[in-house]
Amino acid sequence: MIDIIMTSIITFFILAGAFLAAVSAIGVIRLPDVYTRLHASSKSSTLGVMMMMLGAFLYFWFVDGYVDSKLFLAVLFIFITAPVSAHMLSRSAFHSNISPYRMTVINELARDEEGAIELPNEPEEHEHKEDE
Amino acid sequence: MNTFLDVIIIVSIIILALSMIGMVYRMVKGPTLHDKVVALDAFGVLLMAMIALIAMRLDTTYLLVVILLIGILAFISTIAFAKFLERGVIIDNDRHYND
């Protein structure tokens, strides 16, 4: 009985990891833009690899009786580094003037950076109006 | 039960290999250089899962150190590519570059 339960849990984790890897590959191929591709690859392949590591941990624990903490270390490392690398890549792409897809509705970073440049000029205009 | 798990592992290896071929397609064809770096990062992450599957298939635990090594190398290479594509240098001493 415990064989069936553990095998089904390991099967679920491994197949879910492979499914999320396939989803990330489809997203990287099909999406139109560097930012959307980054979204697909960063989120789903990270979760897929984490599920695959959990499946490998349970597999080695159940089949070989070997508890390996390096797999949890790999999960922790991916959990820390994947958002950092995705953020650095998207920031680099934005500052390299790669324009988003043409149907993008709102671009908040461009709006904020232009607003930060225009804000110091507004009080001077009011002062000039008061002087006149 | 072990034969069932072997079949599941081989099917997952095939699915991951096809996903990695898709990443290589985007790495070759990507319109900008950032697309290629995104595909390279995702390829490194998928390679970690592939090595975990191969370790399960071969029943060795010696390959599990390679997962950590590839994770560290993929992260450092992605950060280095991002900084190089943004500014043209990797290690910059000018901390007020954007001002």
Side-chain angles (χ1 to χ4, degrees):
Chain A
M1 188 64 194
I2 193 71
D3 281 1
I4 297 173
I5 294 173
M6 287 301 287
T7 306
S8 53
I9 291 173
I10 294 168
T11 303
F12 168 72
F13 276 121
I14 293 176
L15 281 184
F19 171 72
L20 286 171
V23 166
S24 82
I26 292 171
V28 169
I29 292 173
R30 293 278 298 171
L31 286 175
D33 189 6
V34 62
Y35 306 104
T36 48
R37 279 172 199 147
L38 193 56
H39 169 81
S41 79
S42 164
K43 283 183 173 56
S44 75
S45 76
T46 301
L47 184 62
V49 169
M50 285 165 70
M51 286 184 129
M52 196 76 82
M53 296 298 161
L54 270 178
F57 174 77
L58 290 175
Y59 180 86
F60 285 118
W61 187 24
F62 175 64
V63 175
D64 294 341
Y66 178 73
V67 176
D68 197 349
S69 61
K70 288 193 287 291
L71 288 166
F72 280 111
L73 202 62
V75 168
L76 187 68
F77 192 77
I78 295 168
F79 196 74
I80 292 172
T81 61
V84 177
S85 64
H87 174 81
M88 288 289 290
L89 266 178
S90 62
R91 186 174 174 276
S92 162
F94 185 80
H95 285 292
S96 299
N97 292 323
I98 293 175
S99 61
Y101 187 51
R102 68 178 190 279
M103 292 181 71
T104 304
V105 175
I106 183 168
N107 190 352
E108 287 181 328
L109 183 55
R111 184 198 66 192
D112 288 346
E113 288 190 347
E114 289 173 0
I117 294 172
E118 288 174 0
L119 266 179
N121 293 327
E122 290 181 355
E124 294 177 358
E125 293 176 357
H126 287 296
E127 289 176 358
H128 286 298
K129 287 177 183 176
E130 289 175 356
D131 290 336
E132 290 173 355
Chain B
M1 275 306 162
N2 272 331
T3 58
F4 178 69
L5 271 181
D6 282 342
V7 170
I8 291 298
I9 289 170
I10 290 174
V11 168
S12 301
I13 285 177
I14 292 171
I15 295 173
L16 248 76
L18 291 177
S19 307
M20 288 164 80
I21 289 173
M23 295 299 175
V24 169
Y25 165 76
R26 182 53 71 194
M27 213 186 300
V28 171
K29 189 182 172 290
T32 66
L33 206 52
H34 292 274
D35 290 317
K36 299 182 181 183
V37 181
V38 168
L40 185 72
D41 185 29
F43 186 83
V45 173
L46 289 186
L47 195 61
M48 296 169 69
M50 191 70 162
I51 288 172
L53 280 175
I54 289 174
M56 279 189 274
R57 177 73 186 106
L58 297 178
D59 272 332
T60 68
T61 57
Y62 296 105
L63 285 178
L64 296 181
V65 190
V66 183
I67 296 173
L68 288 173
L69 191 64
I70 287 179
I72 293 168
L73 283 179
F75 172 65
I76 292 176
S77 68
T78 306
I79 293 296
F81 264 119
K83 288 188 79 68
F84 177 72
L85 290 177
E86 184 178 357
R87 297 181 181 177
V89 291
I90 295 173
I91 300 170
D92 50 346
N93 295 318
D94 187 10
R95 78 174 60 165
H96 300 293
Y97 182 83
N98 285 325
D99 293 339

